[in-house]
Amino acid sequence: MQQNTPIDVKPIDKDKVKMFLRVTLYLFVITVFEFAIAFTVPHEYKWVRIFIFVALTIVKAYYIMSEFMHLGHEKGALKMSILFPLLFVAFLLFILLFQADAIFQAVY
Amino acid sequence: MSSTAIEIEEKEDLWGGGVSPMNVSYGKLMMWFFLLSDAFTFSALLITYGLIRFSHPAFDGAIDDFVFSQEYWPVPEVVFEAVPFLHGVHLPLIFVGFMTFVLILSSVTMVLAVEAGERMDRKGVEKWMLWTLLGGIAFLSCQAWEWSHFITGTDMGSKLLDGSIFHGANLTMNEYGPPNFAALFFFITGFHGFHVFSGVMLNFMVFFQAVTGKLERTGHYEMIEKVGLYWHFVDLVWVFVFTFFYLV
């Protein structure tokens, strides 16, 4: 069955598109900044580098999840049910990095 | 006064059935939970990379003196320094940076397709989904080149522990560093690449449904949103793979 009523196309939400372009700019700038860090901060400052990289990655992840995936505008219950379980990731990271050091000490 | 009373009543009824307490459809909620489980899988892979990397010695000399060796973990910017058509030119991380931008831009076009879908703008959905598909295919092509270069290896190759010269990489041996380095490369970027491939398939499916007018007849473009969530997740994972595999 073909519908005869014409589809009502709404005009472009300019603010929304502007917001998407702003987020794109942020992601672009942060990535360029990461490159700058990778080639200017010497490898001797290993933990400084890792800290900056991880922090900037989390900022990027925040923008992608909050704006692109729309999670920032969802109900609190949905936000929490996605974000709280991710604490397990932090826990696994914590125990396995300790384990890595233990293996390193045992082998070398 | 009466409005306050109604609000309280609504709050009590929120989890009592009959309404969607998270204000999203079943399909979207389940997509979120699927992505959560997928996030655990990727976290496990990347944390395993951390575990294995830090249980090997790190290279501690100056970066210019770095040579491939089985004795220590390689520095990624020395391993990933090739760009197509520029053989022998040292361009660390340039190509993988380009891949990152391709994937981010295809995420942006996807979000614009979702926006067009909310406005019932069929032409807009078709246009932006086509760009998204193109971005995904471009990324996959880049990755195919990256893999074949990694497998083929450098002209010099490097010495394995038994003294023989080896070029490139497979799952048990590689010229870049300890055997696990290449194994993890294949597993992590391969698993991500497979997700990109599935994403391109799903994107094509909803693009097809939009073009044939199926979504318009349904009366909403929510399929674009659900597949969009998956596509953004693929981008999100790449942001982490990029940091932990190529930058750190």
Side-chain angles (χ1 to χ4, degrees):
Chain A
M1 273 284 282
Q2 200 69 35
Q3 254 184 352
N4 290 323
T5 46
I7 302 291
D8 178 27
V9 178
K10 293 183 196 69
I12 294 177
D13 187 345
K14 285 222 171 70
D15 289 341
K16 221 173 178 180
V17 172
K18 242 182 224 156
M19 186 265 287
F20 291 146
L21 294 180
R22 209 174 59 230
V23 172
T24 313
L25 185 71
Y26 291 160
L27 293 176
F28 187 83
V29 168
I30 293 169
T31 309
V32 169
F33 188 64
E34 278 180 327
F35 267 93
I37 297 291
F39 295 119
T40 52
V41 178
H43 282 261
E44 288 84 73
Y45 303 103
K46 188 172 141 194
W47 291 106
V48 176
R49 286 167 60 100
I50 291 179
F51 178 78
I52 295 173
F53 288 146
V54 172
L56 290 176
T57 303
I58 289 171
V59 174
K60 282 205 275 188
Y62 165 78
Y63 278 116
I64 293 174
M65 285 182 79
S66 170
E67 300 302 336
F68 284 180
M69 299 174 91
H70 207 256
L71 191 61
H73 310 281
E74 303 286 5
K75 289 251 177 170
L78 179 55
K79 278 187 216 170
M80 289 307 121
S81 43
I82 298 301
L83 294 177
F84 271 134
L86 291 177
L87 286 175
F88 286 113
V89 173
F91 177 61
L92 186 67
L93 181 67
F94 179 75
I95 54 175
L96 284 198
L97 286 187
F98 269 89
Q99 187 65 23
D101 193 49
I103 294 172
F104 182 79
Q105 300 296 338
V107 176
Y108 296 97
Chain B
M1 282 304 275
S2 59
S3 67
T4 0
I6 288 166
E7 247 170 49
I8 290 166
E9 215 171 66
E10 273 176 356
K11 261 210 167 99
E12 276 173 353
D13 281 342
L14 201 56
W15 296 92
V19 288
S20 168
M22 293 184 183
N23 201 24
V24 286
S25 71
Y26 175 80
K28 227 154 115 183
L29 187 63
M30 289 306 124
M31 180 52 94
W32 267 111
F33 287 143
F34 163 68
L35 294 181
L36 181 62
S37 73
D38 223 14
F40 284 134
T41 315
F42 274 109
S43 311
L45 281 170
L46 282 171
I47 292 171
T48 305
Y49 176 81
L51 168 80
I52 295 176
R53 178 180 182 156
F54 287 122
S55 49
H56 282 82
F59 176 73
D60 52 4
I63 198 77
D64 293 329
D65 303 330
F66 180 85
V67 282
F68 294 140
S69 163
Q70 305 287 311
E71 304 292 332
Y72 45 75
W73 203 259
V75 177
E77 65 177 67
V78 184
V79 179
F80 306 103
E81 48 123 57
V83 172
F85 310 116
L86 293 170
H87 184 76
V89 186
H90 177 67
L91 296 165
L93 302 181
I94 300 296
F95 190 56
V96 73
F98 170 73
M99 284 164 70
T100 305
F101 288 130
V102 168
L103 208 56
I104 287 177
L105 285 180
S106 87
S107 223
V108 177
T109 56
M110 178 49 115
V111 100
L112 292 170
V114 171
E115 197 268 342
E118 280 165 1
R119 297 184 288 107
M120 294 300 288
D121 178 2
R122 181 166 155 187
K123 281 274 169 296
V125 171
E126 287 170 8
K127 178 178 78 178
W128 292 119
M129 280 315 292
L130 206 56
W131 279 111
T132 308
L133 272 170
L134 209 67
I137 292 167
F139 181 87
L140 280 176
S141 318
C142 291
Q143 206 171 34
W145 185 87
E146 175 100 340
W147 268 50
S148 75
H149 183 269
F150 188 82
I151 292 168
T152 313
T154 57
D155 294 336
M156 294 99 69
S158 82
K159 244 192 202 121
L160 294 185
L161 286 179
D162 63 0
S164 64
I165 298 285
F166 187 76
H167 298 270
N170 58 35
L171 280 174
T172 50
M173 295 182 285
N174 72 87
E175 65 163 275
Y176 309 105
N180 276 332
F181 174 70
L184 284 163
F185 174 82
F186 290 129
F187 264 90
I188 294 174
T189 65
F191 197 58
H192 176 264
F194 183 66
H195 274 75
V196 179
F197 176 75
S198 326
V200 169
M201 292 294 121
L202 289 172
N203 283 346
F204 181 76
M205 189 188 81
V206 290
F207 172 69
F208 187 78
Q209 289 179 345
V211 170
T212 52
K214 182 173 185 282
L215 296 179
E216 196 169 83
R217 281 195 297 277
T218 317
H220 58 78
Y221 281 85
E222 210 198 58
M223 258 329 262
I224 303 277
E225 281 179 55
K226 283 181 250 182
V227 172
L229 278 180
Y230 181 78
W231 191 247
H232 296 312
F233 176 75
V234 166
D235 183 31
L236 182 67
V237 168
W238 180 255
V239 165
F240 282 90
V241 172
F242 176 66
T243 299
F244 292 117
F245 216 96
Y246 294 95
L247 285 179
V248 167

